[in-house]
Amino acid sequence: MSEYLYVGKNIPRTAEVDKVTGRAIYINDLKRPGMLYGKIKYSEYAHARIKHIDTSKAKKLPGVRAVITGYDIPDVRVGFLRDQTVLKKDKVRQFRDEVAAVAAISPEIAEEACDLIEVEYEELPGLFDPFEAMKEDAPLIHEVDARGRPIRTNILPLPWKFEAGDIEEGRKASAYIVKDSVETTWVNQCCMGTSGCIAEFDMNNNLTLYNQANVIFWDKRRIMEYFAQIGLKDSKVRIVNPIVGGSFGTKLDTDIYEFIAIQLALKTRRPVKILFTREEEFFALPPRQPAIFEIEQGCDKDGKLTFRWAKAILDNGAYTSWGATTPSVMMMPMSSLYRVPNVYFEAKCVYTNNIYCQAMRGYGNPQATFAVETSMDHLAEEAGIDPAELRLINCNHSGDVTPMRLKITSCGLEECIKGVKEKLDWDKKRGKRNGRGVGMASLIHVAGGARVYKSDGHGMIIKVDEHGHVDVMSGGTDQGQGSPTALAQIIAEALGFRPDDINLVFGDTAFGLWDAGTHASRHTFIAGNAALEACAKVKRQILELAVVELPKLIKHQIKRQKRKDPDFKEPDLDFSLIANPEDLDIRDRIVFSKKDPENPYFRTEVSNILREALHVGTGKSHVVVAEAFYDPPTEMLDREFKGNLSCTYAFGTTGVEVEVDEKTGEVKILQLYAAHDVGKAINPTLIKGQIYGAGYIGVGYGLTEEMKLEKGRVMNPNFLDYKMLTAKDNIPVTPMIIETDEKDGPYGAKGIGEPGLVPTAPAIANAVYDAIGVRINDLPITPEKVLKALKEKRKEK
Amino acid sequence: MKKITVSFTLNGDQVEAEVPSTWNLLRTLREYFEITGPKEGCGVGECGACTVLIDGKAVNSCIYPVAEVEGKTVTTIEGLAGEDGTLHPLQKAFLENNGVQCGFCTSGMIMSAKALLDENPDPDEDEIRTSLSGNLCRCTGYVQIVESVQKAAEMMKDKS
Ligand code: FES
Ligand code: FES
């Protein structure tokens, strides 16, 4: 292939001009005629029996159109383990439990009505510690499962156990072994746009749900399943995304507020909008899944890893969403980050009366990588090997098949580690223990789709009209990652058009074909491959039309020229050079002959061909449209959680230099290098945006962010007390883009949405250790923890 | 509900609004004038998504009582582009340098940057970061936002 015109270029995000002019319409801005506002009444206890709900006062409030409780709607269970109902009527198990809901003509009236609902509770003892909750005599949070069978334990019936090789053999072969306890906590996704939806039924009971789902087809399916159980099995469902104000995992599951909006809309026969406040965003949305690890690793005298053993306890909270499936992703770094022959990993998810959890950028990977990578540093110290060297000794390489059966195709890990090491001036700076230190951590992540659903496909429809405008209907969604630009570049390149010609439509189940969702860093890779397939078809159609139309256009042109200029000498054209579609190509909107590319007669604007082919004056007119469905050649994990679930994997290394103030405990990041194997950068500026953004969230995860829960209640549900980084924090992140040209990726690209976050926190923890000689193994690394650890260290001396 | 009438200049137009006296400016802009640029990210002055200019100063409109806007001049992101749709250098720079991702913080971010550049056409990185410190962004890590502001400052200098 010759030089690319658009791939690899920093094309600006002009397609999103609405976002810089205030015109982009988010759910916050969207209104429907006759729309009502819904509000939710939450529990006042972490664990209690509901004795009585009195809605009479609320119902009497002028402007209220509906008040519903669990007694007014079908008693149907929803969620991944079907362990909750939409509104809770017998028992509440967490503070965010939805007890009642109101629809009113204004949000204020709805709010006031919620306050007028009186609920009488009988408080029950709460369980807020997963270890307490696992005890045999612990009270049960759920008495029965989805099928009504009695439950005897708070441990969820999930089979998270991975084994490969033989741990005992590994232990025997070890010269050095380390064991650590590591802990990560709840963090909030902090989307700047708060959550919300509008549910609207037509008179045939068909639903249009305007929401922010990032897996619209699963969202539709969950709602269809719900409908089947509430007597609406013939209703149709359409999901429509307005512009989405950030996702970071929050939009993966269908949340309870969406079912509530649906119920209120059904009851009132009016569109109903629920829009979260920031406070709700903090206490009523599922945050990142916390995890507590025990991890043990060993290596032989040369530093070769011999085994990795780890157990995780996950505080599941009161109900189950995708947080409980994070162990399936934890298995990836546990088994496959660096070459390790013998692996054991198990995870237990435990019901408590805390907030339940969901996905967040990186899924379970940041948690598990924090465990693996802090332990790697410990092991390096134990073995007396430079931590960077230990990583290089055990580095993954192209052609490896990992214990999880992941097939490593392109792999830039070695380059990432070495690059970061050099940039940090590692050899000079490491090991000084003078308050300044360097540390690194790496990652592996899916980067070529993730077959977590039986179809990991993406459907794309591309049509080109007579003006040469290209409309692309993608089944995927955009949450701000830049797909309207990156995919337009891929499509423009493949079709021979310009990015400006491409109009991408996302997030509508009525227009799009199936897509498994914008998650798992899969969108550019999967949608990009679908685009290439569709573009090939569209281009072929155009060139087939050109074979017919181009000679006609040329003859017209000659005729015209002759008319204008009687002396015009007819050129001697060899029409056999444009006789077959294979002889032609399109570049920069121009159809031309490959065999005689500069001949002006054989060159024409593509729209000329399309117009001629459409307005033919006979019954043989043509339009250009094609569809492609790309489902990558990957496999589901088997019962042992093994299988090549992604076409390719992302690798990367973050290296940081920190300064620790031993008086205040403050950790300052002096440099942060984030090297990522991106396959091929379709748009380097956009890729850097992903690395910066993810890196910042990673630094927050490492140093400042934590949801403080006290007996199940979120104590810091606002931006004053929940410390998201600001522009003033000025973390000096330097992205390093490593290109490995992935053979299966669109133009060589791999996914890069999540990786930047994954290794950041452990790199910081390792640098802190290098600076002051104390290991802080529980996140975030706050000044208080640093001071406490330093104090203990001094005592030991 | 007690209503008040306020008149002020909004994006160059003389306007009047009759709204409940308890409303803040953000709500007035969004609900009375149906302007969508200023966003509510928190409603309590902690995120900056609602930033507008009042007499040239960047203000969190969500905590600005509407009564106080009487006689003042308010500029929202809608008032930035030229009448013919020409983008302001800040708007251009945000698109060109990936200063916008999901875009939810963008209106506020750009308005804070505008207040800065109007006062200080040649700010250094620290000054930019300080001016934007009240505007939270979850997507970008601020780096390309700061770059966008720098590029916009350059564009504006070249022009004048
Ligand atoms: S909405 Fe005004 S500061 Fe957040
Ligand atoms: S671009 Fe998404 S919050 Fe700033």
Side-chain angles (χ1 to χ4, degrees), chain A residues 10-14 16-17 19-26 28-29 31 106-108 187-194 243-246 248 277-278 360-361 478-481 684-690 692-694 696-697 705 718-722 724-731 733, chain B residues 1 23 27 30-32 34-49 77-81 85 87 90-92 94-107 109-110 125-126 128-144 146-147:
Chain A
N10 293 318
I11 304 291
R13 298 178 75 135
T14 337
E16 291 163 278
V17 65
K19 290 183 178 176
V20 298
T21 49
R23 287 161 173 266
I25 299 303
Y26 299 77
N28 316 61
D29 309 304
K31 270 191 199 141
S106 79
E108 290 69 36
V187 294
N188 190 270
Q189 295 86 347
C190 292
C191 301
M192 293 313 297
T194 52
I243 303 285
V244 178
F248 309 115
T277 61
R278 179 56 58 187
M360 184 173 167
R361 201 172 195 172
D478 181 63
Q479 294 123 219
Q481 70 271 26
T685 302
L686 294 193
I687 294 232
K688 283 185 197 154
Q690 289 300 310
Y692 287 130
Y696 261 65
I697 300 182
E705 291 186 33
N718 58 66
F719 286 132
L720 269 192
D721 301 313
Y722 184 92
M724 216 182 109
L725 297 176
T726 75
K728 196 111 187 67
D729 289 300
N730 196 0
I731 311 296
V733 177
Chain B
M1 203 179 292
W23 279 24
R27 187 149 183 204
R30 289 181 58 85
E31 288 182 29
Y32 190 90
E34 300 200 334
I35 273 178
T36 50
K39 298 278 185 246
E40 179 169 317
C42 69
V44 291
E46 292 167 4
C47 77
I77 188 110
E78 283 83 354
L80 230 53
L87 297 183
L90 275 163
Q91 294 170 311
K92 263 189 90 182
F94 269 67
L95 290 177
E96 279 167 11
N97 299 285
N98 204 29
V100 52
Q101 287 192 30
C102 82
F104 200 85
C105 71
T106 308
S107 303
M109 223 27 118
I110 290 183
E125 184 180 338
D126 253 9
I128 297 175
R129 287 185 175 274
T130 306
S131 298
L132 301 181
S133 62
N135 293 79
L136 296 178
C137 173
R138 192 53 154 177
C139 302
T140 64
Y142 308 102
V143 181
Q144 290 172 321
V146 173
E147 283 172 10

Side-chain angles (χ1 to χ4, degrees), chain A residues 235-294:
Chain A
S235 291
K236 298 188 180 75
V237 174
R238 176 179 176 192
I239 309 288
V240 183
N241 276 174
I243 303 285
V244 178
S247 173
F248 309 115
T250 51
K251 279 86 183 177
L252 201 61
D253 205 352
T254 309
D255 206 279
I256 301 302
Y257 71 83
E258 302 185 63
F259 293 107
I260 292 176
I262 287 169
Q263 284 295 349
L264 289 171
L266 263 179
K267 176 112 188 191
T268 58
R269 308 305 311 176
R270 301 261 292 267
V272 174
K273 176 174 187 169
I274 291 182
L275 183 66
F276 271 20
T277 61
R278 179 56 58 187
E279 198 183 355
E280 282 176 299
E281 200 76 10
F282 274 109
F283 80 77
L285 261 199
R288 185 190 288 288
Q289 177 68 56
I292 302 165
F293 297 92
E294 295 269 296

Side-chain angles (χ1 to χ4, degrees), chain A residues 316-341:
Chain A
N316 190 68
Y319 305 104
T320 312
S321 176
W322 298 121
T325 67
T326 49
S328 65
V329 174
M330 292 177 179
M331 286 170 190
M332 187 171 44
M334 284 292 174
S335 68
S336 306
L337 179 56
Y338 308 119
R339 287 174 169 169
V340 52

Side-chain angles (χ1 to χ4, degrees), chain A residues 438-477:
Chain A
V438 288
M440 67 164 66
S442 300
L443 88 130
I444 179 173
H445 200 68
V446 288
R451 191 166 295 279
V452 290
Y453 307 121
K454 284 185 179 165
S455 170
D456 195 27
H458 175 100
M460 189 176 273
I461 303 167
I462 301 185
K463 69 185 180 69
V464 189
D465 68 15
E466 57 174 322
H467 311 287
H469 294 170
V470 184
D471 288 305
V472 180
M473 278 148 284
S474 157
T477 64

Side-chain angles (χ1 to χ4, degrees), chain A residues 62 66 74 137 247 294 299 322 338 363-364 389 437 453 533 545 549 635 697 741 782:
Chain A
D137 56 348
S247 173
E294 295 269 296
C299 67
W322 298 121
Y338 308 119
Y363 224 68
E389 195 50 39
Y453 307 121
E533 264 184 57
L545 296 175
E549 304 301 334
E635 49 193 22
I697 300 182
D741 213 357
T782 57

Side-chain angles (χ1 to χ4, degrees), chain A residues 108-147:
Chain A
E108 290 69 36
I109 295 175
E111 178 99 58
E112 200 185 330
C114 278
D115 292 342
L116 291 175
I117 298 170
E118 286 163 7
V119 188
E120 220 183 293
Y121 297 96
E122 177 195 321
E123 194 176 356
L124 298 168
L127 283 167
F128 306 106
D129 173 355
F131 293 99
E132 290 294 313
M134 282 194 294
K135 286 189 180 152
E136 281 208 1
D137 56 348
L140 289 175
I141 293 184
H142 291 272
E143 293 80 10
V144 292
D145 70 6
R147 290 201 230 150

